[in-house]
């Protein structure tokens, strides 16, 4: 009797294993099946922040109404994927998302947010263990961001000034600035690269230190290399080693703050540095540019959007949603979106003022504010989809 019972138990276990094996493919596809039941929207959005959702620290009223529409109050009846992409920076993505969540009233996740220097995460491997100069922001905030990305030896211009005050004798470190510095002997530190993470606060100090770094091959205080004349190749610098790389994260000349007129941005700082460097050496220093409207940044953002869409709806379609970029700056938002093949909507709440004439880059559409832009894009895309049936 016991033998019969044991045989039956073995048979039952074997049948159970076969059943589990057969059901595995269905279990793996369950998430996709659930997603497929949802109404998949035919579009997704990318928003600039300053001048579109915020003006300085204040939320533009239309922003909350626009996000409410995307969170489900729309004709598709589903959440429409969106990300925020800004040429601003200076803080960690986690800190910025927390502040945006509090201001906008909607949970903004890190995987929905791309700022000017987020793309640097993709090149950390090149400089993780090498000394680099990071510029911009207040005290050592961008150093903390850089270290969070994986740059293990990041230094600031305040570190340089603390090491040798005669580097720039026209600025005395404040107590908070001095507290933020690291004790380093820069005469023994070959800087491998300079990253302008965010808008510098002391242009004079930063331009001076950058000139020292890029004229000496990376060692501050070392003799300058042979000065090239206009039209010569980079080899004329006479560097025996690898020339330090220079990277800017934001090309914007202007940006919209709480002030009535636009303010100078990191692009203006780059122009000032290059003008000084060219006067000293005869040519500008070669550099890499990230941020809107560069191809590298939009390529990075495209992957972020795809991941967000897949997170909400899974692999339910081979057709990618139509991207709509909502921005206030024709030179960055509209130019970048047009080059990426996206639809673009220019709003009147930021840098661009329609009273000053047509924009330098023509958008797909123009709107008073972000709410009007979102409503137009949804109506335009859904009516286009319905007419194809």
């Amino acid at each position: 009797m016991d033998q019969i019972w044991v045989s039956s138990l073995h048979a039952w276990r074997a049948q159970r294993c076969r059943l589990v094996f057969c059901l595995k493919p269905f279990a793996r596809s369950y998430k996709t099946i659930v997603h497929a039941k949802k109404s998949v929207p035919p579009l997704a959005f990318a928003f600039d922040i300053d001048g579109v959702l915020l003006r300085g620290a204040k939320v533009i009223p239309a922003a909350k109404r626009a996000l409410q529409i995307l969170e489900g109050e729309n004709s598709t009846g589903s959440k429409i994927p969106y990300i925020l992409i800004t040429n601003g920076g200076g803080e960690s993505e986690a800190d910025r998302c927390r502040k945006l969540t509090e201001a906008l009233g909607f949970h903004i996740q890190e995987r929905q947010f791309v700022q000017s220097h987020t793309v640097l995460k993709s090149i950390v491997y090149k400089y993780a263990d090498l000394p680099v100069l990071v510029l911009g922001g207040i005290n050592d905030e961008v150093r903390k961001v850089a270290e969070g990305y994986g740059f293990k030896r990041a230094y600031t211009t305040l570190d340089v000034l603390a090491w040798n005050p005669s580097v720039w004798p026209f600025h005395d470190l404040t107590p908070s600035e001095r507290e933020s510095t690291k004790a380093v002997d820069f005469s023994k530190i070959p800087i491998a690269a300079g990253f302008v993470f965010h808008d510098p606060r002391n242009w004079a100090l930063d331009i001076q230190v950058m000139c020292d770094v890029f004229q000496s091959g990376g060692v501050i205080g070392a003799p300058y290399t042979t000065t090239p004349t206009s039209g010569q190749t980079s080899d004329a610098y006479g560097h025996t080693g690898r020339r330090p790389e220079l990277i800017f994260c934001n090309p914007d000349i202007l940006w919209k703050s709480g002030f009535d007129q636009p303010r100078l941005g990191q692009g203006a700082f780059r122009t000032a540095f290059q003008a000084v460097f060219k006067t000293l050496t005869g040519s500008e220093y070669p550099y890499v540019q990230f941020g809107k409207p560069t191809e590298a940044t939009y390529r990075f953002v495209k992957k972020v959007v795809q991941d967000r869409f897949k997170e909400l709806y899974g692999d339910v379609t081979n057709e990618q949603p139509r991207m709509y970029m909502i921005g206030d700056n024709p030179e960055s938002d509209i130019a970048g979106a047009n080059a990426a093949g996206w639809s673009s909507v220019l709003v009147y709440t930021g840098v661009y003022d329609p009273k000053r004439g047509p924009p330098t880059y023509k958008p797909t559409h123009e709107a008073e504010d972000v709410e009007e832009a979102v409503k137009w894009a949804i109506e335009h895309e859904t009516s286009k989809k319905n007419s194809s049936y």
Side-chain angles (χ1 to χ4, degrees):
M1 185 67 180
D2 289 343
Q3 187 174 5
I4 295 174
W5 183 85
V6 171
S7 298
S8 299
L9 179 61
H10 287 167
W12 177 82
R13 286 176 174 173
Q15 182 67 20
R16 179 178 178 275
C17 289
R18 285 193 294 271
L19 181 62
V20 169
F21 178 80
C22 292
L23 288 176
K24 274 186 178 181
F26 296 98
R28 284 195 297 266
S29 62
Y30 174 74
K31 186 176 181 180
T32 299
I33 292 171
V34 171
H35 283 312
K37 291 180 180 179
K38 296 181 180 180
S39 175
V40 181
L43 75 169
F45 287 90
F47 295 105
D48 182 34
I49 297 177
D50 295 313
V52 176
L53 303 179
L54 305 177
R55 183 177 289 140
K58 295 182 179 179
V59 177
I60 295 174
K64 291 188 177 183
R65 297 194 296 269
L67 295 184
Q68 187 69 45
I69 292 171
L70 299 184
E71 289 293 335
E73 292 186 7
N74 58 72
S75 58
T76 71
S78 300
K79 285 189 176 184
I80 297 178
Y82 65 91
I83 66 165
L84 309 186
I85 170 175
T86 176
N87 272 350
E91 299 178 90
S92 70
E93 284 75 10
D95 287 343
R96 192 71 193 279
C97 285
R98 176 179 53 78
K99 293 177 181 178
L100 286 168
T101 296
E102 293 175 356
L104 295 170
F106 295 92
H107 182 47
I108 306 299
Q109 304 174 64
E110 287 186 56
R111 53 183 175 272
Q112 286 178 271
F113 178 70
V114 177
Q115 53 188 338
S116 61
H117 46 71
T118 305
V119 68
L120 294 181
K121 293 179 179 180
S122 64
I123 63 170
V124 168
Y125 70 94
K126 294 173 59 177
Y127 295 104
D129 299 309
L130 298 176
V132 298
L133 186 70
V134 296
L135 299 100
I138 300 172
N139 296 338
D140 63 344
E141 288 183 0
V142 295
R143 188 216 310 278
K144 294 174 182 176
V145 175
E147 290 174 344
Y149 287 179
F151 295 100
K152 300 173 185 176
R153 301 176 66 188
Y155 303 108
T156 72
T157 55
L158 296 179
D159 294 338
V160 177
L161 191 60
W163 162 66
N164 189 339
S166 62
V167 165
W168 187 249
F170 307 113
H171 178 76
D172 295 324
L173 292 171
T174 66
S176 64
E177 288 175 335
R178 186 170 296 281
E179 187 178 348
S180 75
T181 62
K182 286 185 176 181
V184 181
D185 183 355
F186 284 97
S187 67
K188 300 177 181 178
I189 299 289
I191 299 297
F195 298 97
V196 186
F197 270 67
H198 192 36
D199 298 26
R201 299 305 195 264
N202 189 330
W203 285 28
L205 169 64
D206 288 5
I207 288 175
Q208 177 65 78
V209 173
M210 289 172 70
C211 286
D212 288 334
V213 168
F214 297 117
Q215 284 184 272
S216 66
V219 179
I220 301 172
Y224 292 159
T225 59
T226 303
T227 302
T229 58
S230 180
Q232 286 183 303
T233 65
S234 59
D235 292 337
Y237 281 93
H239 289 181
T240 56
R242 183 178 180 180
R243 184 172 57 193
E245 187 173 18
L246 173 59
I247 295 178
F248 292 93
C249 293
N250 176 4
D252 287 351
I253 298 291
L254 299 172
W255 67 287
K256 187 62 176 176
S257 70
F259 193 68
D260 289 340
Q261 299 300 325
R263 302 290 84 192
L264 296 176
Q266 190 183 133
F269 171 79
R270 184 199 68 217
T271 301
F273 161 73
Q274 291 289 22
V276 172
F277 193 85
K278 185 175 181 178
T279 300
L280 294 174
T281 67
S283 62
E284 293 188 351
Y285 195 83
Y287 66 94
V288 174
Q289 181 69 69
F290 289 132
K292 297 177 296 181
T294 65
E295 180 184 354
T297 290
Y298 274 85
R299 189 167 57 245
F300 182 85
V301 169
K302 188 175 294 186
K303 178 64 167 58
V304 175
V305 174
Q306 290 172 349
D307 290 344
R308 179 60 176 165
F309 194 86
K310 185 176 180 180
E311 177 187 356
L312 292 177
Y313 295 103
D315 296 317
V316 296
T317 178
N318 293 324
E319 184 178 349
Q320 294 299 317
R322 182 64 183 170
M323 281 301 305
Y324 283 79
M325 176 74 210
I326 314 297
D328 70 307
N329 191 328
E331 283 76 17
S332 58
D333 302 319
I334 306 306
N338 291 350
W342 295 0
S343 294
S344 56
V345 184
L346 180 62
V347 296
Y348 301 160
T349 51
V351 168
Y352 176 67
D353 184 352
K355 296 178 182 178
R356 296 182 179 179
T360 49
Y361 293 89
K362 184 176 177 58
T364 308
H365 186 71
E366 295 182 26
E368 287 292 335
D369 56 39
V370 65
E371 180 187 15
E372 182 182 311
V374 164
K375 288 180 177 178
W376 174 84
I378 294 174
E379 182 179 355
H380 177 72
E381 200 62 34
T382 54
S383 62
K384 184 172 65 174
K385 182 179 180 181
N386 292 336
S387 64
S388 65
Y389 292 143

